[in-house]
Amino acid sequence: MTSTDDFAVRVQSLSRSFRGTHALIDVSLQIPRGSVFGLVGLNGAGKTTLIQHLIGSMKALHGTVNVLGQDPTIRPEKLLARIGYMTEEDSLPKWMRIRDLISFCRTVYPTWSDSYATQLCDMFGLSTTAKLKSLSKGGRARVALLAAIAHRPELLILDEPSSGLDPIARADILEAIIRTVADEGRTVLFSSHLLEEIDRVCDHIALLHDGVLLESIPAATLPERYTECFYRTETASSRPPEIPGSFGGAGDTSEWSVLIDVENASSRPTVPSIESDGARWELVNQQPATVHRWFAGRVQRKPATTSSTSAEGMQHV
């Protein structure tokens, strides 16, 4: 049996509603220590509401939340000293200089490391004499990340940290996250709608949709678990072929692709042809599902397709 000490976060049957609208519905998840855990979902999926419970800003009314071995709402100051938190909101006091912010953080976090803060300033090209109001949005995001990780937190929580930033700033933030985890083995919860970032840095991915946790899966097993199968028919069809266990149909007229869970015994992705709704469908290609395609299929948002793609190179998102 796995010890509870193996998990930095344990959420069990968490539900939350606001004025009759469900924000979280019976959500249960576990985040292993030392992992980079990606939380993905469309805007309004409930990601931030979940994170607010993890940092103690919201008390679990239905279900339980345990972070680093404690209820986040009991002595939250003790827990927050062990957590790094960065959000997409540009909320740093712009009248401060970077050195003033560092001095403030030094008094808040007992484990604050001036040497690590200096290292991060060098990495991000930041001058400690610079005022925050003189920095770009990307520059202030780098400072926010510095403040979140220079005390070497046991758990780093990032809520859409790259939202609205330029590609260089996003790359800097990702690099710092990778170094933090690779060099020190700390736990990271990375919430984002930017799937390319999640795909690059996360070793586990959880999908939240309309307040429901649809799936939680190790990133390395996703392309092994799900296959994208491409079918073609001579008869125009407004929907994909009916295949047991398939989901996320995408395409139009005579060319469609579907996702198949290969662990579902009723699915047969290698069958060369099938009959569905009076039409004969030929399997023309199959490939491991990408994170983008899996996400689009799971939330039932069809990715763009073109009707002129070849059997060997049919496009997908």
Side-chain angles (χ1 to χ4, degrees):
M1 179 180 291
T2 302
S3 167
T4 55
D5 289 339
D6 291 334
F7 298 104
V9 172
R10 289 183 290 117
V11 176
Q12 185 66 39
S13 302
L14 180 63
S15 296
R16 187 79 183 207
S17 298
F18 298 101
R19 296 183 179 180
T21 299
H22 296 297
L24 296 173
I25 305 172
D26 197 29
V27 171
S28 296
L29 62 82
Q30 296 176 325
I31 301 179
R33 289 182 183 271
S35 67
V36 187
F37 194 97
L39 182 63
V40 300
L42 301 171
N43 289 337
K47 302 189 299 297
T48 296
T49 300
L50 175 59
I51 288 174
Q52 291 298 310
H53 283 82
L54 300 185
I55 63 175
S57 293
M58 293 183 181
K59 183 177 178 60
L61 302 178
H62 303 280
T64 61
V65 176
N66 185 287
V67 179
L68 299 179
Q70 73 169 81
D71 181 332
T73 61
I74 298 176
R75 296 192 64 188
E77 71 286 352
K78 179 180 177 182
L79 178 65
L80 292 177
R82 303 164 64 194
I83 290 178
Y85 176 55
M86 178 181 173
T87 178
E88 65 177 321
E89 296 180 6
D90 187 3
S91 58
L92 293 177
K94 296 182 176 62
W95 55 268
M96 274 189 172
R97 297 184 187 274
I98 294 177
R99 67 188 179 198
D100 300 326
L101 181 64
I102 290 175
S103 295
F104 173 77
C105 291
R106 189 185 299 121
T107 65
V108 173
Y109 299 111
T111 57
W112 182 265
S113 171
D114 281 332
S115 61
Y116 191 24
T118 299
Q119 178 184 336
L120 291 169
C121 282
D122 292 340
M123 181 193 304
F124 294 151
L126 298 171
S127 169
T128 58
T129 61
K131 284 190 175 182
L132 295 177
K133 68 179 181 181
S134 70
L135 302 177
S136 65
K137 183 176 181 180
R140 288 193 295 273
R142 293 178 177 92
V143 176
L145 183 60
L146 180 155
I149 67 177
H151 64 293
R152 302 187 186 278
E154 295 176 52
L155 172 64
L156 175 61
I157 298 177
L158 304 167
D159 188 6
E160 298 282 359
S162 301
S163 182
L165 301 185
D166 62 81
I168 295 177
R170 291 204 304 268
D172 279 347
I173 289 173
L174 285 180
E175 178 66 21
I177 295 169
I178 293 169
R179 288 193 184 188
T180 296
V181 175
D183 295 346
E184 303 174 18
R186 301 182 186 278
T187 308
V188 178
L189 171 59
F190 189 8
S191 171
S192 179
H193 67 278
L194 300 174
L195 296 180
E196 64 274 11
E197 296 184 350
I198 293 291
D199 194 24
R200 177 182 171 190
V201 304
C202 295
D203 47 38
H204 202 104
I205 304 174
L207 172 56
L208 197 61
H209 183 60
D210 289 341
V212 177
L213 187 67
L214 295 184
E215 187 168 4
S216 182
I217 185 172
T221 67
L222 192 150
E224 301 170 2
R225 171 78 179 268
Y226 294 104
T227 296
E228 183 176 17
C229 294
F230 300 87
Y231 288 90
R232 180 175 294 158
T233 181
E234 294 182 357
T235 305
S237 176
S238 61
R239 58 183 181 179
E242 294 289 339
I243 301 173
S246 68
F247 64 96
D252 63 88
T253 61
S254 62
E255 294 180 351
W256 285 84
S257 77
V258 295
L259 293 171
I260 290 180
D261 180 354
V262 298
E263 292 187 5
N264 186 328
S266 64
S267 301
R268 295 291 183 268
T270 57
V271 174
S273 63
I274 59 173
E275 293 284 342
S276 177
D277 291 335
R280 188 169 189 82
W281 294 83
E282 300 293 333
L283 176 66
V284 294
N285 193 21
Q286 57 181 312
Q287 63 189 22
T290 65
V291 170
H292 287 74
R293 185 66 178 89
W294 165 79
F295 178 87
R298 286 297 252 150
V299 301
Q300 295 300 305
R301 297 296 174 93
K302 296 179 180 179
T305 59
T306 58
S307 59
S308 60
T309 49
S310 67
E312 294 76 17
M314 294 175 71
Q315 299 297 308
H316 65 279
V317 174

